[in-house]
Every structure is written in C-alpha cells, then in structure tokens.
Amino acid sequence: MATIRSYRPDDLPALYDICLTTGAAGQDASAQYSDPELIGHLYAAPYAVLQPDLVLVAEDTLGVAGYIVGTYDSNGFAERLEREWWPALRQRYAKPSTALTQSDRQRIADIQTPRSNPPAIVARYPAHIHMNLRSRLRGQGVGTALLERWVDKARAAGVAGIHLGASVSNSGGVGFWRRSGFAPLQTIGSTVWMGMALTD
C-alpha cells in the first residue's frame, strides 16, 4: 500500500515522469514527445515549484508513483505563472528544434499562450487540481486518499469549490471523478470540465 505524504523538492523528477507516462488520457504519452518535460511544465511542475504546500504524493516501495497538485485560487495562480514561471520557459523554447513532434509543438504553443479555464466555472469553483497515478497504484483507493486529503485542506481553508478538466476519452478517469463527487459542467473540445462545491 502506498503512503500519502507532503511533497519534497527531490520529488520533482518523479512528478515530471508520472505526468508524461500518464499523459495520454491516463496512458503513457512518452512516444508522443521528443521533449519529455514539456507536458510536466504545464500540468505538474509549476504547482510543485510555486505552491509546494498544496502538493501531495503517493509513495510505495518502488518510489513516488502518484500525486495531486493544485491551487486554491486559479486566477491568482495564472497571474503568478505569468510573472514567475512562463517567462523562462518562453525563452527556453523561443527557437524550438525542428525535431519536435506535434504534441511538443502544441505544448510549446500552450506555454507561449496559456489556455484559460472557463471563466464561469472558475468563478464558481475557484480551486483546481491535477492528479495522476501510475498504473500500479490504481484500484487500491490511493487516488481517493490523495483527493480526500487535498479536499479536506481546501475546505479548511474556506475554498468554495474545486474544478478540473478531464479528457473525454479517459472514461476511467471521468468515472472516478464522478464517483468522487465532481459533476460534469461543460464539454469543450476533448475536455470535460467538472466541479465540486465545498460550501453551501
């Protein structure tokens, strides 16, 4: 059984790797990228670097194999990313290699011009999360344990609600979020946006 614990800075490489190897609707996305860090630059690392107190990891005897990251204030976090996270990455990828894959190019475009979460959803559910588990931890209650710990902290902090975006093609993930109390709110392209209220 995995242990749930607070994030440590030396966990960052594991977060990058888990983000990549679960990045294709829960499956391994390694073959889609020539730069293995690109997806993690968007969906894992900035939370660990900028808000490490809101990151929890699941660790078993083989190492860190799952995480939940997020922020209580999506709009404020987006502003902080503009100040503290995107500038260095935009410089790093200003002259991208010609060997990039289509997925690499899409992530670089997202770094250059970040996508915004739906404003009406953010207004009602200001927090958001990302959670990923390696396959060896799935089906054991680890995801539920990570989520419950994060939700308890958010509720104690007075957060009104949490939202997330899940791939429409990830039926297992969408099913998990529904069972965990998240309601589908809006589908945009290949993403279903879901929310859970924490206050009445």
Side-chain angles (χ1 to χ4, degrees), residues 140-178:
Q140 303 173 35
V142 177
T144 298
L146 280 168
L147 179 62
E148 288 178 348
R149 283 270 296 271
W150 206 94
V151 168
D152 285 347
K153 289 179 64 174
R155 186 176 280 115
V159 174
I162 303 169
H163 72 276
L164 59 90
S167 173
V168 171
S169 63
N170 185 0
S171 58
V174 172
F176 169 81
W177 295 119
R178 292 187 72 136

Side-chain angles (χ1 to χ4, degrees), residues 58-102:
E59 183 176 36
D60 63 9
T61 56
L62 298 178
V64 173
Y67 64 79
I68 186 169
V69 301
T71 180
Y72 295 162
D73 177 6
S74 295
N75 289 333
F77 190 69
E79 293 171 0
R80 192 173 178 194
L81 289 172
E82 281 297 329
R83 296 192 306 269
E84 302 177 42
W85 187 251
W86 300 133
L89 288 172
R90 287 169 181 158
Q91 185 173 9
R92 174 175 171 179
Y93 293 104
K95 296 180 180 179
S97 163
T98 56
L100 295 177
T101 67
Q102 180 179 352

Side-chain angles (χ1 to χ4, degrees), residues 6-142:
S6 298
Y7 169 82
R8 300 191 302 250
D10 62 350
D11 296 325
L12 187 59
L15 266 61
Y16 268 111
D17 189 63
I18 294 165
C19 192
L20 175 67
T21 55
T22 61
Q27 303 303 309
D28 191 350
S30 298
Q32 299 177 22
Y33 292 90
S34 63
D35 184 331
E37 291 190 335
L38 265 170
I39 190 169
H41 290 331
L42 290 152
Y43 300 117
Y47 302 89
V49 173
L50 301 181
Q51 292 200 313
D53 56 319
L54 298 185
V55 179
L56 297 168
V57 301
E59 183 176 36
D60 63 9
T61 56
L62 298 178
V64 173
Y67 64 79
I68 186 169
V69 301
T71 180
Y72 295 162
D73 177 6
S74 295
N75 289 333
F77 190 69
E79 293 171 0
R80 192 173 178 194
L81 289 172
E82 281 297 329
R83 296 192 306 269
E84 302 177 42
W85 187 251
W86 300 133
L89 288 172
R90 287 169 181 158
Q91 185 173 9
R92 174 175 171 179
Y93 293 104
K95 296 180 180 179
S97 163
T98 56
L100 295 177
T101 67
Q102 180 179 352
S103 293
D104 290 324
R105 294 182 186 282
Q106 180 59 63
R107 300 306 178 189
I108 290 171
D110 290 339
I111 288 169
Q112 299 295 344
T113 307
R115 304 184 198 188
S116 297
N117 294 359
I121 292 176
V122 173
R124 187 175 176 190
Y125 307 93
H128 74 260
I129 55 173
H130 300 283
M131 185 171 75
N132 287 298
L133 300 176
R134 295 195 192 281
S135 58
R136 70 176 189 259
L137 291 190
R138 296 175 190 165
Q140 303 173 35
V142 177

